[in-house]
Amino acid sequence: MTIRPIALLFRLAVLLCLTFAAIPSAPAQPAGPAQAGALTPTDWNAALLAITRQLRDPRMDDDGFASLRADLDRLRVNASAERDQFKQAVATTQTQLDALGPAPASGQPREAPAVTESRRQLAVRLQSVQDSVKQAELALTRIVALQDEVADEARRQFTRQLLYRGTSPFNPDFWRNGIEDIKAVSAPVMAAPAQWWQADDGRRSGSTTLLQIIMVAVLSAALLIPMQRWLRQHYGIRPESGEPSAVRRTIAAFTVLIGHTAMPLVVLWATYAVLVGNDWATGLVGRMMYMLMQAVSIALLAHGLAQATLAPHHAAWSLIPLPEPQRSKLQRRVTAFSIGMVLIAILVGPSRVPDFGTAGRDMVIAAVALFLVASNLAFSDPRLWRPLSEDMRPLRLFAGLIFGLSVIALGAVLLGYYGFAAFLAYGLLGSALALGAYALVRSAVRDGLAHLADNPESRFRSWRQTLGLSGPMSTTSQLLLGLLADIVLFALLLIGLALAWGVSRATLIGYMLELFYGVTIGPVTISLGNILAALVVLVIGIGLTRFLSGGLNNRLEQQSGIDPGVRNSMVTGLTYVGYLIALVTGVGVIGLDLSNLAIIAGALSVGIGFGLQNIVNNFVSGLILLIERPVKVGDWVVIGDREGYVRRINVRSTEIETFPRASVIIPNSELISSPVMNWTHRNRLGRVDVAVSLSYAADLEKARDVLLDCLKGHPDILSMPEPQVIFRDFGAGTLLFALRGHIADVEKRHMIESDLRFAIHKCLKESGVGLPYGAPAMLHLADIDRLEKALGGLHSSEPGRPKSPQTEV
């Protein structure tokens, strides 16, 4: 079955919509008083005191800190929104109060009682909302202080856990006490699933939840399986194609990664989302379920990366050029790691019981750390990567670095530093997975862009038409798209590395929210949300401008009688105006104070006047060219020793295409300040001038008639004005004539002149008038008579030589 890319995206969108539709929405948070119709300040003390008490609890763990951070982020957003609403109310009330004006002074006429009462009420309301602004500011200050306190306490606890030293595995107490702790919690752990299943705490029934899970599974099978088949058929591994190119291998590897990782993860987390939405992922079982989901996700990612990069059954499609023994060995280790991750998640689950002892917890952490260290040592084994070529040296160095750090982590396990060993091993493993996925996706994106740019007639034809690319993609477009992809992928890589090294999701979300809502650096507030909104507005404005200018251009092209230069000026002017509006709107969305920009512009005016005067001069000259239109697109112009057609008038320069098809870029200021010959400024009428030289012995009357017939006989010579043959001058040995005739299209001037010269040469020869072969050589000698006699005497005195006739000189 063939699925087009649009249908592919549509099916994915349908799957996501149905998945989220199956998840019941969480109960809505009660709206704060500031969100209601009447502005009433919120009492923040109760929520902040509850968070303070939780922070002082000595049993607080990582999940508790993450929950506190999420609560504080929510409170900070609400407090910021309330403060902004009260500030707006202050501005509105102040405006109304200013409209009433000041109270009358003593001695002035008294105002109406209604006005006085309105002023009093507005003054009371203004004071009230100003107090509310202060309360919101105080709440924000307390929230920020609590956020810093939570972060400091989390760091201290993390440091304690990292430097904590438990009983060494060589000590028998490690095993005896650990096993006793595990036995002590075995009963509640074994009873937890039954209690979880039988619990009735307001969640949806099991049959409803099971039905929703079945719906998700069926929809996933109906949508994802055909999608996976289509990807495999069009972009997957094809053994029959022989030796694939690097681009083809990368795209196939990315396709394999999607099939083995992305699609199963969508189904897996959609099922988990149904359980969470129906309140089934709660308690100890819910925590164990979440840990199991994370373990399965990591296992699937590792398995997918191995299948994508190694291509176990097709060596020619492998991205990592390892020989067969190493490839098979690495594949088996990845499989063992995937199974071990799931088993470790099941093992760690009982440690979530609140009464779990310290010795048992140490044993569990030691087991996890040992497994992760063993996995890192197995993957970074130098014997696996030694056969790689010199081109893959960074990969060998990275594997060696992981191997060395894993040895350090193994030593930490043996010494009893289980927290440090687990942290280091998990960070190394997560970093390797994140970097591997990043490298694979980035390579696929880069190769895909290269394939899209270099193959306009490939299967990407529909994508190229959507992007408006008729020919090969320009280097600039490819560079910009690649840079945008690099920024997005690098941001995702940073998030993956942060998660791998222990940064919680709540912390990341808090940092993102802080960036999104604004980071204050001195007097400047940098808001990622405003920047993104400004970029969106700018892109929409530019796109709308290009759409309108393109539509105007197409419409003017269909109108007969419109000069191309006029059309270009109108389209260019509309484009400049649209870009300016989009830029001003984007600056307004960012929230920049235009008065400050004016001050900065005034301070920089001197520098702009000296350093950018040529650019400003060319820009203004370009505007003058568009308004006055001394030259237009399509005109035939001569500027100095450069001659050609005007192809484009830009902001800074004008592009001239010469007759040998070379492009000359001329600054606009030169077109304004220098003389410009424009052959087609007002119309396309022109005149041809052909110079002809005749001998002094030629019949001039006959020659004039012959030349005039040649002019009138050419089909492109106009009858009005009448063609002319002009006797210009007496030359040195020849008579100089000029043939003048007017033509309708001056661009044909050179060809018409050439045709006339051919015709004149032929007619003059056939008519007998003739053409001189050139000016005769002239010799001026003094005393020519005596010289002639002397030469004649010498000539006649030679024996055996007859006397030559007299030669005319």
Side-chain angles (χ1 to χ4, degrees):
M1 181 172 62
T2 302
I3 304 175
R4 303 305 302 163
I6 299 300
L8 180 73
L9 296 176
F10 176 74
R11 291 190 174 191
L12 183 59
V14 170
L15 174 63
L16 292 176
C17 291
L18 292 177
T19 299
F20 286 109
I23 304 171
S25 59
Q29 295 291 337
Q35 299 173 352
L39 294 178
T40 305
T42 304
D43 184 12
W44 304 99
N45 292 326
L48 294 178
L49 288 176
I51 291 177
T52 304
R53 285 194 298 267
Q54 294 178 20
L55 182 60
R56 302 293 184 265
D57 190 350
R59 296 172 299 177
M60 183 66 63
D61 55 2
D62 294 337
D63 294 337
F65 284 121
S67 177
L68 289 181
R69 278 191 285 261
D71 292 339
L72 287 172
D73 290 335
R74 177 178 54 81
L75 291 176
R76 183 173 181 178
V77 171
N78 293 339
S80 299
E82 182 175 295
R83 177 199 57 188
D84 295 339
Q85 286 183 339
F86 278 117
K87 282 186 176 181
Q88 185 177 1
V90 168
T92 303
T93 307
Q94 185 65 51
T95 302
Q96 296 174 357
L97 191 59
D98 293 339
L100 295 178
S106 59
Q108 294 182 350
R110 297 179 61 183
E111 61 185 2
V115 176
T116 304
E117 180 62 20
S118 298
R119 182 182 293 106
R120 186 190 65 79
Q121 293 178 359
L122 288 175
V124 172
R125 187 187 308 170
L126 178 62
Q127 185 62 43
S128 176
V129 291
Q130 286 177 345
D131 294 340
S132 299
V133 170
K134 296 177 181 178
Q135 291 179 11
E137 293 283 2
L138 177 61
L140 279 174
T141 304
R142 294 177 59 188
I143 291 171
V144 171
L146 279 175
Q147 285 180 325
D148 295 338
E149 190 175 352
V150 169
D152 293 339
E153 186 61 31
R155 279 193 294 268
R156 285 192 291 268
Q157 187 183 73
F158 172 75
T159 303
R160 289 194 299 268
Q161 293 176 353
L162 202 63
L163 301 180
Y164 168 75
R165 183 179 182 183
T167 307
S168 173
F170 298 108
N171 191 335
D173 293 337
F174 172 81
W175 302 98
R176 182 173 58 252
N177 297 334
I179 294 173
E180 290 178 356
D181 287 344
I182 293 176
K183 288 181 179 180
V185 298
S186 59
V189 170
M190 297 300 294
Q195 296 174 358
W196 167 77
W197 180 259
Q198 296 173 0
D200 185 10
D201 50 0
R203 63 191 180 189
R204 288 196 177 183
S205 63
S207 58
T208 304
T209 304
L210 182 60
L211 180 60
Q212 291 178 355
I213 293 175
I214 293 175
M215 289 176 56
V216 170
V218 171
L219 289 173
S220 301
L223 297 176
L224 294 180
I225 291 178
M227 185 188 305
Q228 185 176 2
R229 185 184 300 119
W230 181 83
L231 287 173
R232 187 169 58 249
Q233 289 176 355
H234 289 80
Y235 305 107
I237 294 176
R238 293 186 178 180
E240 68 277 3
S241 63
E243 187 69 23
S245 63
V247 175
R248 188 67 182 84
R249 283 201 308 269
T250 305
I251 295 176
F254 189 59
T255 303
V256 172
L257 179 64
I258 292 176
H260 285 80
T261 301
M263 294 185 178
L265 284 178
V266 170
V267 179
L268 189 67
W269 284 98
T271 304
Y272 179 74
V274 172
L275 294 174
V276 172
N278 291 342
D279 294 331
W280 279 84
T282 57
L284 176 61
V285 175
R287 292 193 294 269
M288 294 176 62
M289 193 183 302
Y290 180 71
M291 294 183 61
L292 185 62
M293 292 289 299
Q294 288 183 318
V296 173
S297 300
I298 295 174
L300 285 174
L301 179 58
H303 176 70
L305 283 174
Q307 293 289 328
T309 57
L310 296 178
H313 305 293
H314 309 91
W317 292 79
S318 176
L319 294 181
I320 302 178
L322 284 174
E324 178 53 34
Q326 281 78 8
R327 291 172 60 246
S328 299
K329 186 181 297 184
L330 186 58
Q331 181 66 32
R332 289 194 298 269
R333 294 181 181 182
V334 171
T335 303
F337 166 77
S338 301
I339 298 174
M341 278 298 299
V342 177
L343 297 177
I344 283 293
I346 297 174
L347 174 65
V348 173
S351 64
R352 297 294 181 175
V353 176
D355 297 333
F356 202 69
T358 303
R361 199 180 303 276
D362 288 347
M363 180 175 287
V364 171
I365 297 176
V368 173
L370 191 60
F371 169 75
L372 295 176
V373 169
S375 300
N376 289 333
L377 291 174
F379 292 147
S380 60
D381 187 357
R383 293 173 297 179
L384 283 176
W385 310 103
R386 191 175 295 124
L388 289 177
S389 61
E390 192 64 25
D391 297 338
M392 307 292 288
R393 185 179 180 184
L395 181 57
R396 289 190 298 174
L397 294 176
F398 183 64
L401 177 63
I402 292 180
F403 188 84
L405 294 176
S406 298
V407 172
I408 296 176
L410 179 61
V413 171
L414 298 178
L415 293 175
Y417 291 99
Y418 308 122
F420 173 76
F423 170 76
L424 182 58
Y426 186 82
L428 292 174
L429 182 62
S431 299
L433 291 176
L435 288 171
Y438 167 78
L440 181 59
V441 175
R442 184 179 184 274
S443 179
V445 171
R446 285 286 183 175
D447 292 341
L449 287 175
H451 195 65
L452 181 65
D454 300 334
N455 298 274
E457 300 302 326
S458 66
R459 64 184 58 175
F460 296 102
R461 187 183 297 110
S462 60
W463 294 6
R464 297 182 60 82
Q465 292 175 355
T466 303
L467 294 175
L469 301 174
S470 57
M473 185 190 298
S474 65
T475 305
T476 304
S477 301
Q478 186 178 356
L479 180 63
L480 290 177
L481 289 176
L483 180 61
L484 179 61
D486 283 343
I487 292 174
V488 174
L489 292 177
F490 186 72
L492 294 176
L493 174 63
L494 291 180
I495 294 175
L497 292 176
L499 293 174
W501 289 99
V503 179
S504 64
R505 290 183 304 166
T507 303
L508 286 177
I509 294 173
Y511 289 153
M512 292 179 184
L513 288 175
E514 189 170 358
L515 284 175
F516 189 82
Y517 286 103
V519 177
T520 302
I521 303 176
V524 180
T525 300
I526 301 175
S527 174
L528 182 61
N530 291 340
I531 294 175
L532 292 178
L535 289 177
V536 170
V537 169
L538 188 62
V539 170
I540 293 176
I542 292 175
L544 185 61
T545 299
R546 297 191 64 175
F547 174 76
L548 293 177
S549 60
L552 177 62
N553 187 38
N554 294 333
R555 185 168 184 177
L556 292 178
E557 282 182 349
Q558 298 174 0
Q559 299 289 333
S560 59
I562 295 182
D563 186 83
V566 176
R567 184 181 72 244
N568 177 77
S569 298
M570 295 176 64
V571 173
T572 305
L574 175 62
T575 303
Y576 287 168
V577 171
Y579 286 170
L580 180 61
I581 294 175
L583 181 61
V584 172
T585 306
V587 171
V589 170
I590 292 179
L592 294 179
D593 190 353
L594 297 181
S595 62
N596 293 336
L597 293 180
I599 295 174
I600 296 175
L604 296 178
S605 59
V606 177
I608 292 175
F610 287 99
L612 302 179
Q613 57 180 344
N614 290 332
I615 296 177
V616 176
N617 186 15
N618 290 323
F619 175 74
V620 175
S621 301
L623 297 179
I624 294 174
L625 290 177
L626 291 175
I627 295 173
E628 293 187 355
R629 298 191 300 114
V631 295
K632 307 178 295 296
V633 173
D635 283 355
W636 176 8
V637 297
V638 180
I639 305 172
D641 58 349
R642 300 173 290 255
E643 183 176 4
Y645 295 102
V646 178
R647 293 305 183 197
R648 188 176 291 105
I649 300 177
N650 298 317
V651 175
R652 190 196 63 84
S653 60
T654 298
E655 179 183 347
I656 307 296
E657 183 181 318
T658 63
F659 297 129
R661 308 290 293 179
S663 294
V664 180
I665 309 301
I666 300 177
N668 290 331
S669 59
E670 187 172 340
L671 295 176
I672 298 297
S673 60
S674 302
V676 178
M677 179 187 292
N678 192 339
W679 288 92
T680 57
H681 178 51
R682 297 187 180 276
N683 50 53
R684 306 189 72 82
L685 292 175
R687 192 185 75 181
V688 294
D689 292 329
V690 179
V692 178
S693 300
L694 297 178
S695 172
Y696 273 87
D699 186 349
L700 298 186
E701 296 295 331
K702 183 178 181 180
R704 182 178 61 183
D705 295 338
V706 170
L707 295 176
L708 195 58
D709 290 340
C710 290
L711 276 173
K712 294 180 178 180
H714 197 283
D716 289 326
I717 299 297
L718 301 177
S719 59
M720 290 296 293
E722 186 177 359
Q724 296 178 345
V725 177
I726 299 175
F727 190 168
R728 293 182 57 194
D729 202 355
F730 295 92
T734 58
L735 303 175
L736 305 179
F737 288 82
L739 282 69
R740 294 178 179 176
H742 291 80
I743 58 178
D745 190 354
V746 72
E747 291 189 4
K748 299 180 180 179
R749 182 171 64 91
H750 294 300
M751 292 302 301
I752 295 174
E753 289 177 350
S754 176
D755 294 341
L756 287 175
R757 290 187 180 98
F758 277 109
I760 290 170
H761 184 271
K762 179 180 179 182
C763 292
L764 289 178
K765 288 182 64 177
E766 292 177 352
S767 64
V769 176
L771 290 169
Y773 290 99
M778 301 185 66
L779 180 64
H780 296 275
L781 296 175
D783 299 330
I784 187 65
D785 295 334
R786 289 187 298 171
L787 181 60
E788 182 181 1
K789 292 179 181 180
L791 292 175
L794 292 174
H795 182 73
S796 60
S797 64
E798 294 181 2
R801 188 180 182 101
K803 186 177 180 180
S804 61
Q806 188 174 0
T807 304
E808 293 183 1
V809 180

